[in-house]
Every structure is written in structure tokens, then in C-alpha cells.
């Protein structure tokens, strides 16, 4: 099907005018109806849809973010890593703005993303900054930091814990952000949460192995008496967080 508005939007995206591209799509919805835009977006390249929705501005409502379907959104989310944004700020912003929109089921979006090839990696990117807290949530059933002792469950115990009921109710932690996101994954998509945590744990393990390799190289230069504990003293959880960052850069 031929959609002149899509051709115009693609040209504007190519020229770097994302605001203009979004305006062209909104104009189509205004002139032909929301259903026409939803149908048109099925033929819109995922990379172009991503270019529009990743520039989400929380100060205004986006018609595109309100209308995009779970399938359309999932196809865009899995290629967001091509932007090589190691902070994943845009990823978190656009996911929050779309899956937590009013009168829609966020679980449908989470399930659709998680079942798409590369989707669990995108969900892992979303939780990157808070992954140790998510591990604690799985272990304790709550987001109370007072119960977080930094320990990690074995793989078997982690899997078993994911399938138990959280101690905290959803209405206690609704934030339209990572806590609600994590709660919904555990309660409604435990299989996907297990895969996401497995990915994050693998990244942490790979980071540790990389650091150990660097220390071995330093030993050759610094000599056997060098104390590496001084190099890492005080890093604590920040070291764990950098684990996924290191793997992210190599995976893109």
C-alpha cells in the first residue's frame, strides 16, 4: 500500500529532521484517522520508526507512542543497540513512554519484546543500571534496600525464586519505571525474566574475566608484590554495574 506521508517522513528522517518526520505521521493520523496510521506503520521500516520514538519528549504527548502496536514497537526496540548508547537513556525513556501508556497492557509489550530475537537483550539493557536491585527483588521478593545484602542466588535457586509470588504488591511499587517493569516480568513473564537475568549475569562474569586478564598483564609490569586490592577498594556495586557496560560495547 502506498503512503505518501511515510515517504515524506522517511525523507525527513534521512535529512535529520526527526521532529518534521513525526509531524508528517501525526498529520496522516489527523487526516485519515488513527487506524490508517497504525496500518501504515506496519510498512514503515523499524529503523525509521525507532528514529522517531527514541526521541521521546516527556513534556509532550506523542501520537506515535500512543498508537504503535506491540509488534511494531518490539521490532524497533531490538535494533536500538545500533545507536551504541551505553547509558541506554533513550531506550528506557521510550520503553516507559510506550508500555506504560494508559488503557494498554504493558505485559503484552513485554511478552512481545521478550519473544522476539534479541528482545531479551534489549530488556537486559533496560535493567542494566538496576540489575543488582532486580537480583535482590528476586531473592527477597521486595525492593526494600534494607534487605539487600548484595548476595546472589545460585542459578537453580534464582530460577525457583522467580516463580514464587513477590512479597510486595504491584500497587505498592507502581512507578511506570524499572520497579514496575521488574514486578510485571516476575509476575507475568517469569521465563523472560530468567533469560534477562541470565544475560546480565553472563555479562558480569565476562567483565570479571576481562578484569582478571588485565590484572595478569599488570602483574608482568608491576611485579609480584603489587596489591590489586588497593586498585579496587571502594568500588563495590559500581564494579558490578560496569560489567554489563563492558559487554554492551563489545556486543554492538
Amino acid at each position: 500500500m502506498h503512503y505518501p506521508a511515510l515517504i515524506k517522513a522517511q525523507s525527513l528522517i534521512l535529512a535529520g529532521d526527526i521532529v518534521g518526520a513525526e509531524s508528517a505521521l501525526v498529520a496522516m493520523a489527523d487526516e485519515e484517522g488513527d487506524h490508517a496510521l497504525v496500518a501504515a506503520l506496519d510498512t514503515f521500516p523499524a529503523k525509521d520508526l525507532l528514529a522517531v520514538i527514541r526521541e521521546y519528549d516527556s513534556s509532550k504527548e506523542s501520537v506515535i507512542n500512543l498508537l504503535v502496536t506491540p509488534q511494531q514497537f518490539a521490532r524497533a526496540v531490538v535494533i536500538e543497540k545500533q545507536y551504541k548508547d551505553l547509558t541506554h537513556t533513550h531506550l528506557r525513556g521510550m520503553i516507559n513512554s510506550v508500555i506504560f501508556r494508559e488503557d494498554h497492557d504493558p505485559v503484552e509489550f513485554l511478552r512481545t519484546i521478550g519473544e522476539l530475537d534479541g528482545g531479551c537483550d534489549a530488556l537486559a539493557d533496560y535493567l542494566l543500571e538496576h540489575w543488582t536491585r532486580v537480583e535482590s527483588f528476586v531473592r527477597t521478593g521486595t525492593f526494600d534496600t534494607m534487605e539487600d545484602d548484595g548476595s546472589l542466588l545460585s542459578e537453580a535457586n534464582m530460577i525457583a525464586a522467580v516463580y514464587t509470588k513477590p512479597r510486595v504488591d504491584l500497587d505498592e511499587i507502581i512507578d511506570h519505571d524499572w520497579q514496575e517493569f521488574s514486578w510485571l516480568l516476575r509476575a507475568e513473564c517469569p521465563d523472560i525474566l530468567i533469560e534477562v537475568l541470565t544475560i546480565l549475569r553472563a555479562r558480569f562474569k565476562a567483565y570479571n574475566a576481562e578484569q582478571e586478564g588485565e590484572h595478569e598483564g599488570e602483574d608482568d609490569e608491576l611485579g609480584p608484590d603489587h596489591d590489586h586490592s588497593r586498585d579496587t577498594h571502594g568500588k563495590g556495586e559500581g564494579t558490578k554495574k560496569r560489567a554489563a557496560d563492558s559487554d554492551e560495547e563489545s556486543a554492538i
Side-chain angles (χ1 to χ4, degrees):
M1 195 173 292
H2 185 62
Y3 297 103
L6 296 190
I7 296 175
K8 180 180 179 180
Q10 284 183 275
S11 298
L12 291 169
I13 290 171
L14 189 62
D17 185 1
I18 306 302
V19 174
E22 181 178 13
S23 297
L25 296 175
V26 171
M28 178 182 180
D30 291 340
E31 295 171 5
E32 303 182 37
D34 292 349
H35 292 295
L37 177 58
V38 172
L41 290 179
D42 272 335
T43 67
F44 203 46
K47 65 179 180 62
D48 293 328
L49 177 59
L50 174 62
V52 174
I53 61 178
R54 82 184 299 269
E55 297 302 326
Y56 170 69
D57 181 356
S58 59
S59 66
K60 63 183 182 67
E61 193 173 74
S62 168
V63 172
I64 310 304
N65 287 24
L66 290 173
L67 295 178
V68 64
T69 68
Q71 292 74 23
Q72 294 164 352
F73 186 62
R75 290 194 295 269
V77 164
V78 298
I79 62 173
E80 202 277 338
K81 63 183 179 182
Q82 294 178 5
Y83 281 87
K84 299 184 178 181
D85 174 17
L86 298 185
T87 67
H88 306 299
T89 301
H90 287 280
L91 176 68
R92 289 193 298 271
M94 71 180 191
I95 286 182
N96 287 346
S97 70
V98 170
I99 74 171
F100 294 123
R101 65 195 190 189
E102 292 185 11
D103 301 323
H104 286 81
D105 181 11
V107 174
E108 183 180 3
F109 281 91
L110 292 173
R111 175 64 68 181
T112 303
I113 295 170
E115 291 179 347
L116 194 63
D117 186 28
C120 284
D121 279 293
L123 298 179
D125 290 339
Y126 175 95
L127 287 175
L128 176 64
E129 183 179 356
H130 303 286
W131 81 272
T132 54
R133 293 285 305 280
V134 178
E135 286 270 4
S136 176
F137 167 59
V138 169
R139 179 173 56 80
T140 67
T142 178
F143 293 100
D144 185 356
T145 56
M146 296 298 291
E147 298 191 30
D148 183 4
D149 62 8
S151 64
L152 296 180
L153 294 171
S154 67
E155 182 177 354
N157 288 337
M158 179 267 287
I159 292 172
V162 167
Y163 284 99
T164 62
K165 184 178 179 180
R167 290 167 50 197
V168 61
D169 293 331
L170 178 58
D171 59 5
E172 297 178 60
I173 51 87
I174 289 179
D175 62 354
H176 288 2
D177 202 349
W178 70 273
Q179 292 190 25
E180 185 176 353
F181 181 102
S182 302
W183 195 99
L184 290 172
L185 279 181
R186 178 173 178 172
E188 304 291 344
C189 312
D191 53 330
I192 293 177
L193 179 57
I194 289 170
E195 178 64 21
V196 169
L197 287 177
T198 300
I199 290 170
L200 290 172
R201 286 182 170 201
R203 293 178 182 179
F204 179 45
K205 183 178 180 180
Y207 173 78
N208 277 347
E210 179 183 340
Q211 292 299 102
E212 289 176 3
E214 290 179 1
H215 284 325
E216 289 177 2
E218 290 172 0
D219 286 341
D220 294 336
E221 297 180 6
L222 301 174
D225 296 328
H226 182 72
D227 182 2
H228 289 297
S229 64
R230 296 181 180 178
D231 299 334
T232 58
H233 178 68
K235 289 183 179 178
E237 185 177 292
T239 305
K240 294 182 179 180
K241 291 179 180 177
R242 285 189 57 206
D245 291 344
S246 176
D247 187 74
E248 273 304 298
E249 189 170 11
S250 63
I252 293 174

